[in-house]
Amino acid sequence: MTLQGKTAIVTGGSRGIGSSIAKYLAAKGAQVVVNYSGSQQKAEQVVADIEAAGGKAIAVKASVSNHDEVTALIKETVDTFGRVDILVNNAGITRDNLLMRMKDSEWDEVIDTNLKGVFMTMKAVTRQMMKQRSGRIINISSIVGASGNPGQVNYVAAKAGVIGMTKTVALELASRGITVNAIAPGFIETEMTEQLPEDIKSAMLSQIPLSHFGKPEDIAAAVAFLASDDASYITGQTLHVNGGMYM
Amino acid sequence: MSTVLERVTKVIVDRLGVDESEVKMEASFREDLGADSLDVVELVMELEDEFDMEISDEEAENISTVGSAVTYIESKLGE
């Protein structure tokens, strides 16, 4: 399986699962645009790591919920690499709170980045992919988008919404050779999940049939598969990568 | 130099695969020329490229016939 000659954009590519996806796609031969919004140094480090391994990458700053910045992100990608074959919508944030304690601002911020951000980048990239008559959009959802999770009403709403958008856009763009799929990670060891209290972590571990947490590379490998020619007949699907935690 | 109508006609013929004789001013993209909604979106995209102009989503919604496309583009070019 190779992604030689393909160009990929990874939103939120500077950290966590996103940086792993960026490096993995590059290792498979793709030219990668590492998008970031705040972590410039980390994004540049990801680019440096990719280049050190013999790959090609650039870092581009853009907030995914900002129309002008997203438009500029796509434009810079096309200006640099000539096309966009793969869009990985990975950028996401959490602002956890119980429903009764959740502030409107916590709801809005998560919906803006995790849901509207996916809409914005898909809309912006579609023009280019329609012209090419090919493209792969891979949206990173979450296990909790399917199962629910107390304390994350905003995050779960966004991640469930991403699955619905994935199906809809898959239907809209199928006739143009563009596939749209989602990946729903389970418990993956990243900075985001490190913040969870130990008791919650051990409770989660007991619910994982494969009895260990996932690694960012587990998600990256699934992204690379869905981005490859091997997955050309798969669209509108949600691939759960969770050690059997939710079926 | 081709007229706006000639250039619009060429884009439509290429995109929708219809015969040039079917591309009349009153022809509707969807009803007469067999376009689906996504075809119309693409058509507008290609008209933007052909005439090097930006057509907003609101304006694009009013472009449903060959004539409305030609009239719109002529008015934009005349500005």
Side-chain angles (χ1 to χ4, degrees):
Chain A
M1 189 186 75
T2 175
L3 300 174
Q4 207 65 46
K6 297 193 189 294
T7 299
I9 299 173
V10 181
T11 70
S14 63
R15 298 191 293 168
I17 293 174
S19 67
S20 179
I21 293 169
K23 289 179 197 174
Y24 201 99
L25 296 182
K28 294 286 179 189
Q31 310 162 115
V32 180
V33 176
V34 180
N35 157 255
Y36 65 96
S37 74
S39 318
Q40 183 177 359
Q41 278 189 331
K42 286 186 173 165
E44 282 167 0
Q45 185 58 50
V46 173
V47 169
D49 290 349
I50 288 172
E51 286 173 344
K56 261 196 220 167
I58 57 170
V60 179
K61 181 180 166 72
S63 168
V64 289
S65 56
N66 180 305
H67 176 270
D68 292 347
E69 293 181 26
V70 168
T71 305
L73 167 66
I74 306 299
K75 185 173 186 307
E76 187 165 349
T77 303
V78 174
D79 287 350
T80 308
F81 295 122
R83 48 191 291 127
V84 187
D85 301 287
I86 302 156
L87 168 67
V88 184
N89 280 310
N90 165 80
I93 58 169
T94 54
R95 299 283 184 272
D96 295 353
N97 225 331
L98 291 172
L99 170 69
M100 293 189 68
R101 299 246 177 260
M102 185 167 289
K103 297 187 192 76
D104 291 0
S105 62
E106 291 170 333
W107 169 269
D108 289 342
E109 284 171 41
V110 167
I111 296 296
D112 247 26
T113 299
N114 298 15
L115 186 65
K116 189 181 177 190
V118 177
F119 159 74
M120 297 284 254
T121 56
M122 287 200 294
K123 185 175 175 187
V125 86
T126 297
R127 185 188 184 95
Q128 179 65 30
M129 287 184 174
M130 274 172 58
K131 275 191 201 167
Q132 294 168 187
R133 284 286 186 274
S134 71
R136 294 293 161 84
I137 298 174
I138 297 149
N139 298 322
I140 305 301
S141 177
S142 167
I143 183 174
V144 302
S147 67
N149 199 28
Q152 292 197 303
V153 64
N154 48 2
Y155 189 80
V156 169
K159 293 300 188 181
V162 165
I163 292 174
M165 284 200 293
T166 298
K167 294 176 184 177
T168 299
V169 180
L171 288 169
E172 288 189 12
L173 301 181
S175 65
R176 300 304 189 268
I178 302 167
T179 68
V180 188
N181 291 290
I183 291 174
F187 196 106
I188 307 297
E189 289 175 321
T190 65
E191 289 166 46
M192 197 188 272
T193 51
E194 258 171 36
Q195 297 165 6
L196 293 171
E198 273 310 314
D199 57 329
I200 302 236
K201 276 198 217 173
S202 56
M204 280 182 153
L205 198 53
S206 70
Q207 291 170 32
I208 302 174
L210 288 178
S211 62
H212 62 271
F213 297 135
K215 299 202 174 327
E217 291 72 28
D218 293 321
I219 305 306
V223 171
F225 167 64
L226 289 175
S228 75
D229 292 341
D230 291 349
S232 60
Y233 199 54
I234 301 173
T235 195
Q237 303 302 309
T238 300
L239 179 55
H240 286 266
V241 183
N242 61 24
M245 195 175 177
Y246 176 90
M247 298 182 186
Chain B
M1 190 69 189
S2 317
T3 65
V4 169
L5 174 61
E6 283 164 359
R7 289 164 71 189
V8 169
T9 301
K10 183 169 186 322
V11 169
I12 293 168
V13 167
D14 288 350
R15 165 56 51 217
L16 301 179
V18 294
D19 195 88
E20 211 177 304
S21 64
E22 294 175 74
V23 186
K24 303 190 177 81
M25 286 296 266
E26 65 277 12
S28 154
F29 298 128
R30 298 187 64 168
E31 263 119 68
D32 302 315
L33 300 176
D36 65 18
S37 50
L38 199 55
D39 289 324
V40 178
V41 173
E42 277 191 307
L43 205 54
V44 169
M45 272 166 43
E46 294 198 6
L47 291 173
E48 287 181 314
D49 290 344
E50 170 70 24
F51 293 95
D52 193 24
M53 60 172 59
E54 264 189 46
I55 302 174
S56 73
D57 291 344
E58 292 75 29
E59 292 165 325
E61 279 173 19
N62 296 322
I63 299 177
S64 59
T65 63
V66 178
S68 58
V70 170
T71 307
Y72 173 81
I73 290 164
E74 282 178 339
S75 74
K76 273 281 258 217
L77 292 174
E79 275 172 14

